[in-house]
Amino acid sequence: MLSTTQKPKTLKSILLIIGYIATITMAVNSQNLMAQNGSSKNGTKQTNNSTSETATDDSSIVNNDLKNVDESSLSNSSIITRSINAGPVVFTVLLCLILLSITTWSVAASKWIYLRKIEGTTMKFIKSFWDSRSLNDLNSRLGDYPYSPVREVFRNGYAELVRGSQLKDQAYTSEMAVRAALENLSRALNKAKNAERRRMEKYLPVLAISASASPFIGLFGTVWGIMNSFEGIARIGSASLAAVAPGISEALIATAFGLAAAIPAVIGYNIAGNKIRNLITKVDGFGADYMNIVERYLVSDRTKEVQTSSQTPGI
């Protein structure tokens, strides 16, 4: 049996042990709560980090796409590379425009050289025509003169004049023969003039076709290229200037090529047409002078015949 003095000590020790146990239990519980709170905070941080990483990845993808677009637009600075990147249709249009441009320059340059040359030979022959003693004398030296429209008109007119001189024996009267010879000579001169006009205007429709069709061909290539550019914008998912500009610039090359082919064609056509009109005016003037000389000759010859017949006795 325990004494009365030992019972309080025993109770006191039991209470102390219970307090120690409760303190230890509360400490363990608090540590568990702190651990749980730390793990939840770490999970929230991880979630936020993953979300931010996803957004960063998306933005980096878009930035990389735009960067690739910028780098490609800067690296592909040559016209040939841009033309190839614009697509097969635009590239085919550019090839057609290049061929048209080469043809236009060739025709315009050759036509300018040709017309400038025959302008000089025309003036030289007209001067020789007025300096000649007679038509027979000029015709005998016709091979010494280079080609010119007035030389061919004179050749055809003189040949018809020789044939018309044979009408005197076939016509009823000399007046009828003179009238028929002048009409035939006029038709021969007009025919020769029209033939020379066609010769001077040869290949001129090429310039007209190039001047009228090249801008529309280039516009077709531009429209097709812009359609492809919009499809590329839809694939990238960005409508910024960096994404739109390269495709549109590649498409606009077709319009530039079309204008480059059309502008020289228009200038060349107008210059050639003006020179041809001036030459035709000179040919018309030469034909009128030629007709006047022949008509004076035939009229004077007819007058001599009339005077001779009036001096013949018995008439």
Side-chain angles (χ1 to χ4, degrees):
M1 296 288 297
L2 294 174
S3 62
T4 55
T5 57
Q6 293 177 345
K7 288 183 180 178
K9 293 182 178 179
T10 305
L11 291 173
K12 187 177 179 180
S13 61
I14 292 171
L15 291 174
L16 290 174
I17 293 170
I18 293 171
Y20 289 141
I21 293 171
T23 303
I24 293 170
T25 303
M26 291 177 64
V28 171
N29 291 331
S30 65
Q31 289 179 357
N32 290 331
L33 289 174
M34 290 177 64
Q36 290 179 358
N37 291 330
S39 63
S40 63
K41 288 180 180 180
N42 292 329
T44 304
K45 289 181 180 179
Q46 290 177 357
T47 304
N48 294 330
N49 291 331
S50 62
T51 304
S52 62
E53 288 177 357
T54 304
T56 304
D57 292 337
D58 293 337
S59 62
S60 64
I61 291 172
V62 175
N63 292 329
N64 288 331
D65 292 335
L66 295 178
K67 184 178 180 181
N68 292 330
V69 171
D70 292 336
E71 290 178 353
S72 63
S73 63
L74 290 175
S75 61
N76 300 332
S77 58
S78 64
I79 295 178
I80 297 176
T81 307
R82 290 184 182 181
S83 303
I84 296 174
N85 293 334
V89 176
V90 179
F91 187 70
T92 304
V93 168
L94 294 180
L95 287 180
C96 294
L97 291 174
I98 290 172
L99 292 176
L100 272 176
S101 180
I102 294 173
T103 305
T104 297
W105 279 103
S106 301
V107 172
S110 61
K111 186 63 67 176
W112 184 81
I113 295 172
Y114 169 75
L115 294 175
R116 185 177 177 85
K117 180 180 179 181
I118 64 175
E119 276 181 346
T121 57
T122 296
M123 296 305 298
K124 183 178 179 180
F125 187 83
I126 291 175
K127 185 177 182 300
S128 300
F129 174 78
W130 290 111
D131 294 340
S132 298
R133 293 174 296 178
S134 63
L135 298 179
N136 291 329
D137 178 61
L138 182 61
N139 185 70
S140 62
R141 295 182 291 105
L142 205 60
D144 298 336
Y145 298 98
Y147 166 79
S148 65
V150 290
R151 191 197 73 172
E152 297 303 314
V153 169
F154 176 83
R155 185 196 300 276
N156 287 275
Y158 189 84
E160 184 60 35
L161 183 62
V162 172
R163 289 191 294 267
S165 62
Q166 301 174 0
L167 294 175
K168 293 181 179 180
D169 300 332
Q170 300 175 0
Y172 291 103
T173 60
S174 59
E175 183 178 356
M176 185 181 297
V178 170
R179 186 181 301 110
L182 290 176
E183 290 178 356
N184 292 340
L185 178 61
S186 178
R187 286 193 291 268
L189 293 177
N190 288 330
K191 182 180 178 180
K193 182 187 72 175
N194 292 331
E196 293 304 313
R197 180 195 292 270
R198 288 192 298 270
R199 185 172 184 175
M200 288 186 288
E201 292 178 348
K202 190 176 181 180
Y203 301 119
L204 203 60
V206 175
L207 298 179
I209 293 172
S210 179
S212 59
S214 294
F216 294 101
I217 295 174
L219 182 61
F220 169 75
T222 298
V223 172
W224 194 275
I226 290 176
M227 290 169 56
N228 293 334
S229 178
F230 282 133
E231 292 178 359
I233 292 170
R235 288 193 298 268
I236 295 175
S238 176
S240 63
L241 184 61
V244 176
I248 294 178
S249 64
E250 292 168 359
L252 289 175
I253 294 176
T255 301
F257 273 60
L259 293 176
I263 293 173
V266 173
I267 296 174
Y269 183 84
N270 290 328
I271 292 175
N274 185 44
K275 287 183 176 293
I276 290 172
R277 284 191 296 270
N278 292 335
L279 286 170
I280 292 299
T281 301
K282 293 177 182 179
V283 171
D284 288 336
F286 175 80
D289 294 335
Y290 189 73
M291 281 290 298
N292 292 336
I293 291 172
V294 172
E295 188 172 0
R296 284 197 298 268
Y297 168 77
L298 293 177
V299 170
S300 63
D301 187 57
R302 170 61 182 164
T303 303
K304 290 179 182 179
E305 289 181 359
V306 171
Q307 291 177 353
T308 303
S309 61
S310 62
Q311 294 176 0
T312 303
I315 297 180

